[in-house]
Structures are given as structure tokens and as C-alpha cells.
Amino acid sequence: MTHQHSLVTNRLTLRAPDRRDWPAYADFMESPAARFFKGHGDVLEAWKSFGTLIWHWIDRGYGPWAVTETGDDSCIGIIGPKCPPGWPEGEITWIAFAPAAGRGIAHEAARAALGDVFTRLGWTSAVSYIEDDNLPSIRLAERLGATRDDSAPVPGGPVRAWRHPAPETLQ
């Protein structure tokens, strides 16, 4: 299935992930930076996790984006919306691979993804599920304007919901 939709920011192009992104994803999942993600350090679990990203696009027609720098199609992160069956609500997820770390790329891509879910997909709310020890993700959530929502249900695991601002406050 081909997905023609993509998002473009000042520096980035966000597109549906595909098989060419597996090596970068697999490398990340072997790194210590992936310790908060399912599949860390286990190639089979990483493969399943990566397959779930692609399946999300096939099944839902949207999903986390493969993030590339415009003009270079190398995947440097996976950032965007997901809502697997049984989840309480839609999530904006982010994984920034080493080439993207510390450059504001996750922030730029997550803002684009938030804008897209609130406009094109029609979501009225979005959260990010983050473990308490994942300080870089908490800082990004706060930079995006999210606040911890202890009353929000979570899909399991040692995570808390961080609620993103309503669409009218993103401007």
C-alpha cells in the first residue's frame, strides 16, 4: 500500500515508514537510548515493533512518521500519531535516532504531527505516554506544552499520560 501523504517543515520531511528504515530503527533499538522502548536489545522484538509501525499505516491509514531531513531520505527518527486497538486514546510518540539528537528535530516533527492530527485526522485531544525516568521525553513534552494528566487512563506499563494542548492553543 502506498501512502502519498507527507508532512514538510522548514528542515524535515515526514513520510510513512517502510522497509528502507529498518536498519536505522534496528541500530537505535540496540543502543542504550532505546531503553524506554519495547524491543530494546532484542532484534526479534524490535522487528515486531517496527512491523507494528508499518501495520498501523495499513490498518489505520495513518501512523508514526519516518522523519528525514529534506533532501536526504535517511530516517533519523519515528515521530507521530498512533492508537493501537484497546488504547484509551491517540498518542503522539517520538523516537529520535542519534543523528537527530539535540538538534530540535523531535520538537519540530512532533509539532508538525500534532498539527496534522488535529486538522487532517480530526483528533480533539492527544497524549504522549512517557515513563517517569525518561527525562528527555518529559522535557520534550513540556516544550510542546503538554502537562502530566494523572487522571488519564494509560495502556499499561509504567507510563503516565502527558496531555498536549488543545488545537486552538497550538498557534
Side-chain angles (χ1 to χ4, degrees):
M1 178 178 248
T2 302
H3 301 279
Q4 300 300 322
H5 185 72
S6 62
L7 298 177
V8 178
T9 69
N10 289 337
R11 300 181 293 167
L12 308 173
T13 298
L14 286 63
R15 58 166 173 75
D18 60 37
R19 69 175 61 176
R20 68 191 142 166
D21 305 318
W22 166 246
Y25 188 85
D27 286 348
F28 172 79
M29 293 306 277
E30 288 295 321
S31 76
R35 69 189 175 280
F36 297 107
F37 299 98
K38 183 175 180 163
H40 169 247
D42 181 327
V43 71
L44 179 58
E45 289 302 313
W47 175 257
K48 291 176 186 178
S49 174
F50 183 74
T52 300
L53 297 173
I54 294 173
W55 177 250
H56 204 291
W57 278 92
I58 294 168
D59 185 54
R60 305 278 184 183
Y62 69 88
W65 301 95
V67 179
T68 68
E69 292 185 80
T70 301
D72 178 353
D73 203 39
S74 302
C75 183
I76 57 173
I78 301 288
I79 297 173
K82 69 179 185 179
C83 191
W87 277 35
E89 65 183 298
E91 177 189 18
I92 299 299
T93 187
W94 49 74
I95 301 172
F97 304 159
R103 298 174 46 210
I105 286 174
H107 180 261
E108 187 174 328
R111 287 205 49 93
L114 281 163
D116 187 57
V117 300
F118 289 136
T119 56
R120 183 177 65 90
L121 297 181
W123 289 15
T124 57
S125 70
V127 296
S128 291
Y129 299 115
I130 304 172
E131 291 185 31
D132 287 342
D133 292 342
N134 190 343
L135 299 180
S137 284
I138 290 171
R139 284 193 296 272
L140 177 57
E142 290 173 338
R143 189 168 169 217
L144 291 165
T147 55
R148 199 169 86 188
D149 183 352
D150 290 329
S151 67
V154 297
V159 296
R160 294 182 195 264
W162 286 77
R163 181 144 326 269
H164 292 280
E168 60 273 6
T169 63
L170 280 177
Q171 303 183 22

